[in-house]
Amino acid sequence: MTTDTGKTREYNLSAEKPRIDGTLKLTGGADYAADRNLPNQTYGYPVTSTITKGRLVSLELDDALAMPGVLDIFHHDNFDQLSRSPNSFAEENLTSEPRLPFEDNEIHYQGQYIALVVADTFNHARAAALKVKANYERDDDFLTDIKSLDSGEGDLPGEEQPGDASSLGDADSALKGAAVTVDQRYSIAQESHSVMEMHTSVAQWENDMLTIYESSQGVVFQRNALSKIFGIPPEKVTVISHFIGSGFGGKLFMWPHAIMTAVAARRLGRPVKTVLSRQQEYLATGYRPTSLQRVRLGADESGKLLSIHHDGCNESSPAGKHDDTVSGATPKMYDCGGNVAVTNRLVDVNKCPPCPMRAPGESSGNFALETALDELAVKLDMDPLALRKKNFADADPASGLPWSSNHLQECWDNAASRFGWDKRNATPGAMKDGDEIIGYGMATQSWEAMRQHCSARVGFRADGSLMVACGTQDIGTGTYTIVAQTASELTGIPIEMIDVRLGDSSLPSGPLSGGSFATSTVLPAVSAATREALSQLKTLATAEGGVFENVDADSIELENARLVSGDKSVEITQLLKDNQLGLIDGEASARPGDEQEQYSFRSFGAVFVEVRWDAGISRLRVSRVVSTVDIGRAINPMTARNQVEGGIVMGMGMGLFEQSEFDHSGYPYNNNLADYIVPVNADMPHIDVELLDYPDYLHNEFGARGVGEIGLTGIAAAISNAVYNATGKRLRDLPISIEKMLAP
Amino acid sequence: MRAFELESVEAVDQAVSHRRVHDGEAFIAGGTTLLDLVKLDVMQPEKVVDVSRLPLKRIETLEDGRLKVGALVSNTDLAKHEIVMRGYPVLSEALLSGASTGLRNMATTGGNVMQRTRCPYFRDPDMPCNKREPGSGCSAIEGINRNHSVLGTSEQCIATHPSDMCVGMVAAGATVVLEGPDGQREVAFEDYHLLPGETPEREHDLKPGELITHVILDAPRGGGQHYLKLRDRASYEFALASCAAIVTLDGDSVSDVRVALGGVATKPWRATAAEEALKGQPATQENFERAAEAAFADAVAYSHNGYKITLGKQAVVRALRDATAAARA
Ligand SMILES: Cc1cc2nc3c(=O)[nH]c(=O)nc-3n(C[C@H](O)[C@H](O)[C@H](O)COP(=O)(O)OP(=O)(O)OC[C@H]3O[C@@H](n4cnc5c(N)ncnc54)[C@H](O)[C@@H]3O)c2cc1C
Ligand code: SF4
């Protein structure tokens, strides 16, 4: 295995290609975790706490144990002794909830697992689970909503996180001296990932080897965590996740259901399948935490920003700390004379640990900052777009480093012109169409461009096909497809002949599918592994008696699945056959290098939104969204555009509908898809997405910065700004529900 | 989900004789309400009688001009039936605003009349709920009641009746036909659903052992008709407020009008006071507003649903406006 930092070369990528796994998905051929059925399999069904805080005093299990088909019930008193995972991101063994299942009898949240019933069928397990009776000592001193803690003045509630605070220049003095200021508070309700495919674990032990089929955005992380928890070497754990019906961050780091399923399988000596119910998913597999924010802006009369303060606060949990750092990206967004101060605080609530949810932190922080800018524009009597343009940062204001590539100004201009921003009437309520008032709003979009280390294996097969393997996963975003496209481009082997293997922790170690870094991380490793395999081929070809005997290996190129040097060439398949080989493969890894210290990597975009407000029936709808994003190179513009479009729809959910609610007794009021409102097809506006095509070769040899999250940022702010333009109402608390629109 | 015994019946008398006075038995038609609630352990039938094969799938015009709809006619077939689209557009619109295509294909007329409230506390056996467990208390009154009623509530229960179809039927005027161990009887549609009062567990005038065989719609009222459903998102959500309006004009004044409300009341709600306020009056915005005020004069708001009073009035005003426009067209 070699390590390769990648080199700059122009590839002929950027091709619109439908997903290569589309047919499998449409025909039911894609094996999702819950589709897995193993011989002699049993079924687990969790029993969860119905109180929000307190102690589990006892479980009455006799009735449940007597139910048909029940094999065993696992709980605190009979569970295996395990160790917690060290929970390190760097060591790649982070879990979402560090507590082990049934670790003690403390209840930290409603929905916490208190037992796992295992039976011969799913229905038997579920019926028996209903018969388990739990006796609790209830503690009514709990918290499920941090909004009630905000006094509305001064500091936000919670414990300040020293690691999140940053301060440049003198934001306080600059604010005091500013001619025009804004000081406002914002909040965003808790959102749930609401994935299509339920969380599932199917666990099997063979001898002392654990195989677990999971819907996971990080098979390597889960493998490593299980290895620590069970105290067995990582080679003895395999996590498989061939297809994922979306994760949105909720499936990045393992949840306790996987651990209890694995224990049950070991104890029973039979495979166990646990599929969470929708209600359980909503309570026990994370969420985007409720956030409170305060933004203070200072500007001179021309609209030049002089100072930015951004304070954030988000929910965390006694069952696991999560910091969403909602203000984290703010120092990088605008040139504000070098005066910027951000903080973030956490408050523990009695809910399961929050976790990343698509564009974590930044989408929340963006809402507050981009709404505050709109408020500033109103005070300045200035066009909101002109205000942003005036404060464009031509280098990263936080680090002072140059941008690797930044075309935000073109995003602003292109999107504005396609949208028709120049036709906007700034007076609230001035644009009308029949019963409806029209409002225009805009915001800047942004997401950090990251890259991780990654290994991959590429193998040329004698039948002419190419195998590409990497222990990352395709969470529905198109990773299979872009890996195949890239491998095809690198080798000249047609895409139909490329066999991409992902979603298996026994493959060369690949990254999480998160942070929009899968593309920029995986493709360079695929390229390095291809070069490694190629050098094996060259060794064969230049060996004694080979086609290229006495030819300088460096002169040999790979073209259309052939090795070529001068006027000589040989088909790779022929070379393999001549040497009686079925496969020649190479494994290599790639990682970011010094460029990380020399440049700031970030994607930007601009989004414009039209809303329609029918005041006579209190109906607010988004009718049009135009976005231009600069994500470097889009390897596959079709799947990339789809990511931005999906992000826009999810941003509409954040802006208009989504909120997980808990009542005064801690009861989860809407933990199901009927009552938790997400946008549906009928809500879809006309969405127009443009991808600029400026490859960022400083980031990686393919010039791609990733695209999974940026689409979600900016939408909520653009909606709220458009609502202001339509109604003169400034809505600072998401979602913008009917009752908030009706409130005086 | 608990195990239950399943039995299929082919004839109405078989169904009725099957279902003796026994709490543990339930009919299943489309199953879109029943199976949901069985899985949630809210309904716990020991025996389920499948009535979906009964010959009650016809829609026929009676000699007196009324329309007889079999209890097993699907919501889709009813909404798309030519006579319904022409003579009862308010009902067709109401049906099509409900659920999703897939659900409407399964859901039946009888099952829709019998669907249960969507109150989340009712749907969770771990929570106190007077409707599910009389005397246990009402979790919604103290808890979150954003989706609950402002009309027809009691101190025992404020659950909203979820149906769109039933609101259309109340506006159109209808009769429920029941077949039971003691023979056949008919109940005016408006009287079929009961107010919660002191007995929220009693939702209908359905005697033990009885089966809905038909709903007979009054002869078409003509006029302009409109069903307006207001909700958070554009589709696939129960009404937060809805209004079915039928307006008949004599010149510029309203000679006859029917107003029914959904999403705001504990049963499909006939807004008689609104009708009275408008009858004989010019069809103007001011009069529509007066009618809307009358409709909600007795409304009671709880901690989270006060907005429904405003929204409900808006639904009435707009539905009347658009029904009037349809009458003029
Ligand atoms: C996700 C979802 C969304 C929905 N959205 C809407 C909406 O927006 N608007 C709306 O109006 N509805 C909505 N519904 C409800 C839907 O309309 C009802 O579930 C459906 O109409 C019930 O009909 P069914 O035939 O499936 O009833 P079943 O589930 O078969 O039966 C329901 C009840 O009626 C009883 N029953 C059935 N037939 C008879 C009969 N002939 N005589 C006596 N008792 C009988 C059963 O015993 C049972 O108690 C929604 C449902 C779901 C699941
Ligand atoms: S409103 Fe009615 S259905 Fe809901 S909890 Fe109260 S009693 Fe039960």
Side-chain angles (χ1 to χ4, degrees):
Chain A
M1 179 156 145
T2 62
T3 294
D4 191 319
T5 50
K7 59 177 186 202
T8 305
R9 169 194 151 177
E10 185 92 28
Y11 293 114
N12 181 28
L13 285 161
S14 241
E16 306 251 354
K17 274 268 184 291
R19 285 174 169 73
I20 59 170
D21 48 347
T23 309
L24 276 182
K25 288 184 173 178
L26 273 178
T27 55
D31 57 331
Y32 291 88
D35 294 331
R36 183 71 46 175
N37 287 311
L38 300 171
N40 210 21
Q41 177 176 291
T42 65
Y43 295 82
Y45 196 88
V47 182
T48 60
S49 165
T50 56
I51 67 163
T52 304
K53 186 180 177 190
R55 275 181 57 74
L56 176 64
V57 176
S58 63
L59 287 171
E60 294 174 30
L61 302 174
D62 291 350
D63 289 354
L65 283 167
M67 290 287 283
V70 173
L71 297 167
D72 207 344
I73 301 178
F74 298 94
H75 51 92
H76 173 63
D77 293 336
N78 69 0
F79 203 61
D80 287 7
Q81 196 64 44
L82 304 170
S83 313
R84 286 187 178 197
S85 170
N87 272 309
S88 151
F89 189 93
E91 290 170 28
E92 307 198 319
N93 56 27
L94 194 64
T95 64
S96 285
E97 181 167 338
R99 289 178 83 260
L100 295 166
F102 322 138
E103 186 176 271
D104 52 33
N105 280 323
E106 297 300 313
I107 302 292
H108 297 290
Y109 59 92
Q110 186 151 169
Q112 183 179 320
Y113 302 121
I114 53 174
L116 180 74
V117 177
V118 183
D120 58 348
T121 69
F122 173 75
N123 278 325
H124 280 153
R126 181 165 61 172
L130 289 169
K131 294 279 188 188
V132 173
K133 189 169 182 302
N135 300 305
Y136 304 99
E137 219 170 78
R138 191 186 283 268
D139 181 348
D140 286 327
D141 182 21
F142 59 79
L143 184 69
T144 54
D145 181 11
I146 59 171
K147 277 191 219 159
S148 58
L149 302 181
D150 187 9
S151 66
E153 271 170 38
D155 286 343
L156 296 171
E159 197 177 316
E160 194 169 330
Q161 303 299 300
D164 292 345
S166 84
S167 177
L168 291 172
D170 185 349
D172 282 336
S173 306
L175 183 66
K176 283 201 195 89
V180 186
T181 60
V182 166
D183 179 357
Q184 288 296 351
R185 299 169 100 81
Y186 305 85
S187 73
I188 304 173
Q190 177 192 327
E191 285 186 89
S192 169
H193 302 82
S194 305
V195 290
M196 289 267 270
E197 182 204 10
M198 306 312 302
H199 285 260
T200 297
S201 302
V202 185
Q204 178 175 38
W205 292 83
E206 285 159 311
N207 304 319
D208 53 353
M209 312 261 283
L210 170 64
T211 304
I212 187 155
Y213 301 87
E214 180 88 27
S215 181
S216 168
Q217 293 178 252
V219 291
V220 170
F221 271 61
Q222 179 163 356
R223 186 257 328 260
N224 295 346
L226 285 168
S227 139
K228 295 288 184 189
I229 289 166
F230 283 93
I232 53 177
E235 306 78 62
K236 297 208 164 187
V237 182
T238 306
V239 179
I240 292 177
S241 199
H242 290 155
F243 293 95
I244 296 103
S246 83
F248 302 128
K251 295 173 177 171
L252 283 169
F253 313 113
M254 182 176 66
W255 292 97
H257 65 262
I259 306 168
M260 60 197 202
T261 304
V263 167
R266 185 163 72 175
R267 289 274 290 279
L268 291 167
R270 294 173 67 176
V272 178
K273 176 195 277 193
T274 303
V275 182
L276 297 188
S277 71
R278 180 63 70 185
Q279 284 83 352
Q280 289 163 352
E281 180 229 321
Y282 269 109
L283 295 184
T285 63
Y287 50 91
R288 188 195 304 284
T290 307
S291 57
L292 307 173
Q293 302 184 56
R294 180 185 185 194
V295 177
R296 282 167 285 167
L297 304 176
D300 70 16
E301 268 143 8
S302 76
K304 181 77 210 66
L305 282 170
L306 303 173
S307 166
I308 300 179
H309 286 78
H310 190 167
D311 303 301
C313 165
N314 68 260
E315 296 169 335
S316 184
S317 167
K321 181 176 168 176
H322 172 79
D323 186 347
D324 231 30
T325 54
V326 297
S327 56
T330 295
K332 295 170 175 288
M333 291 298 295
Y334 293 100
D335 179 347
C336 57
N339 302 307
V340 53
V342 303
T343 64
N344 206 52
R345 290 163 187 266
L346 298 184
V347 178
D348 273 354
V349 290
N350 293 100
K351 299 193 279 201
C352 82
C355 69
M357 179 166 161
R358 200 174 190 182
E362 244 186 78
S363 55
S364 306
N366 174 296
F367 164 67
L369 179 64
E370 293 291 321
T371 310
L373 282 168
D374 204 69
E375 304 201 46
L376 182 65
V378 171
K379 279 199 169 175
L380 288 161
D381 197 14
M382 186 172 179
D383 182 284
L385 175 58
L387 173 64
R388 284 159 175 91
K389 285 181 157 182
K390 189 165 186 87
N391 294 289
F392 174 73
D394 51 19
D396 179 348
S399 61
L401 295 175
W403 301 116
S404 60
S405 170
N406 180 335
H407 300 273
L408 172 57
Q409 302 184 80
E410 192 174 331
C411 294
W412 279 327
D413 288 341
N414 284 14
S417 96
R418 291 205 320 288
F419 181 83
W421 182 252
D422 56 341
K423 295 183 197 71
R424 170 179 180 269
N425 186 329
T427 309
M431 299 188 285
K432 293 205 173 80
D433 180 16
D435 289 331
E436 295 173 332
I437 305 174
I438 295 171
Y440 286 179
M442 61 84 57
T444 300
Q445 304 178 280
S446 171
W447 183 252
E448 190 175 350
M450 293 173 270
R451 184 179 163 191
Q452 314 282 327
H453 73 89
C454 178
S455 303
R457 189 185 315 127
V458 168
F460 292 89
R461 294 191 183 122
D463 66 0
S465 69
L466 185 82
M467 183 269 300
V468 187
C470 176
T472 187
Q473 16 334 276
D474 185 336
I475 56 169
T477 51
T479 309
Y480 278 114
T481 308
I482 62 162
V483 167
Q485 282 177 268
T486 306
S488 171
E489 162 69 18
L490 291 169
T491 60
I493 294 174
I495 194 164
E496 302 74 34
M497 300 284 280
I498 314 255
D499 172 18
V500 184
R501 302 282 171 98
L502 309 174
D504 183 335
S505 65
S506 62
L507 300 174
S509 189
L512 295 166
S513 298
S516 300
F517 53 61
T519 300
S520 61
T521 299
V522 173
L523 296 189
V526 170
S527 166
T530 307
R531 283 193 291 277
E532 177 61 23
L534 179 60
S535 87
Q536 311 270 350
L537 289 173
K538 287 181 184 177
T539 308
L540 266 191
T542 53
E544 217 183 301
V547 198
F548 293 117
E549 191 179 350
N550 300 326
V551 174
D552 175 12
D554 287 344
S555 74
I556 303 173
E557 298 287 336
L558 175 58
E559 278 170 26
N560 293 324
R562 307 172 74 88
L563 297 188
V564 182
S565 177
D567 50 7
K568 272 194 189 163
S569 84
V570 61
E571 297 226 9
I572 292 170
T573 48
Q574 193 58 47
L575 186 62
L576 290 174
K577 272 183 210 136
D578 291 349
N579 287 276
Q580 291 178 311
L581 286 171
L583 173 87
I584 279 264
D585 65 353
E587 185 167 330
S589 68
R591 60 179 66 246
D594 298 345
E595 74 279 1
Q596 296 290 325
E597 276 74 57
Q598 295 157 2
Y599 299 95
S600 182
F601 299 96
R602 184 160 272 277
S603 289
F604 286 96
V607 63
F608 293 78
V609 164
E610 176 187 282
V611 299
R612 286 172 173 258
W613 167 242
D614 187 338
I617 52 172
S618 303
R619 178 182 284 170
L620 179 64
R621 296 286 181 249
V622 173
S623 43
R624 217 152 52 84
V625 179
V626 175
S627 161
T628 297
V629 291
D630 169 26
I631 54 158
R633 163 145 294 175
I635 304 297
N636 181 345
M638 190 184 267
T639 53
R641 214 178 306 109
N642 170 246
Q643 282 301 302
V644 180
E645 289 165 354
I648 287 169
V649 175
M650 213 159 171
M652 284 171 53
M654 175 192 250
L656 298 176
F657 306 127
E658 296 185 42
Q659 59 178 327
S660 294
E661 293 182 279
F662 296 80
D663 77 6
H664 66 294
S665 72
Y667 179 72
Y669 182 76
N670 60 347
N671 59 339
N672 61 75
L673 272 182
D675 294 309
Y676 179 88
I677 307 292
V678 296
V680 292
N681 280 340
D683 291 297
M684 289 314 113
H686 184 264
I687 299 177
D688 166 5
V689 171
E690 178 193 28
L691 309 170
L692 297 185
D693 189 20
Y694 293 104
D696 187 349
Y697 292 124
L698 293 168
H699 195 239
N700 60 73
E701 63 184 296
F702 293 93
R705 282 199 300 266
V707 64
E709 284 155 297
I710 189 168
L712 175 50
T713 67
I715 310 302
I719 291 174
S720 124
N721 297 340
V723 167
Y724 176 82
N725 180 234
T727 66
K729 246 180 202 292
R730 186 60 76 179
L731 287 151
R732 303 185 182 91
D733 301 303
L734 299 182
I736 302 174
S737 57
I738 292 174
E739 48 269 63
K740 286 177 195 159
M741 289 298 291
L742 279 172
Chain B
M1 177 147 114
R2 290 162 196 255
F4 53 74
E5 191 191 327
L6 179 67
E7 191 160 347
S8 284
V9 291
E10 309 284 336
V12 169
D13 56 347
Q14 213 185 345
V16 171
S17 65
H18 255 90
R19 193 157 175 248
R20 287 168 301 276
V21 188
H22 195 315
D23 276 350
E25 293 189 8
F27 294 131
I28 184 165
T32 61
T33 288
L34 186 82
L35 290 179
D36 251 21
L37 292 174
V38 172
K39 286 188 214 164
L40 293 169
D41 209 31
V42 170
M43 290 173 83
Q44 306 163 345
E46 282 156 21
K47 181 166 170 185
V48 171
V49 180
D50 180 4
V51 295
S52 64
R53 287 184 190 80
L54 296 182
L56 298 172
K57 295 184 180 163
R58 288 175 49 141
I59 299 176
E60 53 187 327
T61 304
L62 302 180
E63 270 173 22
D64 57 6
R66 296 190 301 158
L67 192 70
K68 189 171 176 186
V69 180
L72 289 166
V73 172
S74 77
N75 286 182
T76 301
D77 288 346
L78 185 57
K80 297 278 170 72
H81 195 275
E82 208 201 320
I83 298 176
V84 176
M85 285 168 57
R86 209 166 356 96
Y88 307 89
V90 72
L91 175 60
S92 183
E93 286 178 70
L95 281 159
L96 293 176
S97 75
S100 61
T101 309
L103 278 157
R104 292 193 297 267
N105 290 345
M106 290 299 292
T108 63
T109 305
N112 196 320
V113 171
M114 296 296 292
Q115 68 171 295
R116 314 287 307 266
T117 182
R118 302 294 301 196
C119 171
Y121 301 103
F122 168 75
R123 291 169 64 87
D124 186 337
D126 288 321
M127 296 305 286
C129 167
N130 286 328
K131 190 186 272 302
R132 185 171 22 78
E133 212 178 311
S136 62
C138 171
S139 297
I141 290 178
E142 291 293 312
I144 298 178
N145 42 51
R146 172 175 200 260
N147 301 50
H148 291 70
S149 295
V150 293
L151 292 169
T153 57
S154 76
E155 279 171 22
Q156 307 301 322
C157 179
I158 60 172
T160 303
H161 194 277
S163 175
D164 293 300
M165 180 195 83
C166 293
V167 178
M169 287 184 171
V170 166
T175 306
V176 182
V177 184
L178 303 163
E179 184 91 31
D182 301 330
Q184 202 183 68
R185 66 189 182 101
E186 299 194 351
V187 183
F189 197 92
E190 273 172 57
D191 299 333
Y192 182 72
H193 295 94
L194 306 177
L195 290 172
E198 292 300 305
T199 52
E201 73 281 9
R202 289 197 54 222
E203 298 177 345
H204 328 92
D205 180 7
L206 184 78
K207 300 219 172 80
E210 280 184 328
L211 175 81
I212 300 176
T213 57
H214 300 89
V215 173
I216 303 178
L217 302 175
D218 291 0
R221 284 170 198 280
Q225 309 195 356
H226 186 50
Y227 184 76
L228 176 65
K229 179 173 178 178
L230 303 180
R231 43 186 160 183
D232 297 299
R233 64 183 171 200
S235 178
Y236 208 21
E237 187 185 352
F238 289 91
L240 296 174
S242 73
C243 178
I246 305 179
V247 174
T248 315
L249 293 176
D250 181 3
D252 276 337
S253 62
V254 175
S255 58
D256 195 14
V257 57
R258 301 274 288 199
V259 181
L261 304 174
V264 292
T266 51
K267 60 176 268 187
W269 194 260
R270 172 116 181 250
T272 337
E275 295 172 3
E276 292 311 321
L278 198 55
K279 234 176 258 175
Q281 304 294 317
T284 61
Q285 183 76 7
E286 297 71 52
N287 286 331
F288 298 153
E289 281 167 13
R290 208 167 298 136
E293 288 300 326
F296 286 86
D298 296 330
V300 179
Y302 294 83
S303 45
H304 299 85
N305 68 355
Y307 75 99
K308 280 195 175 183
I309 299 180
T310 312
L311 198 65
K313 289 178 192 168
Q314 291 182 330
V316 172
V317 173
R318 183 64 62 85
L320 284 170
R321 186 196 78 177
D322 291 351
T324 301
R328 290 199 171 114

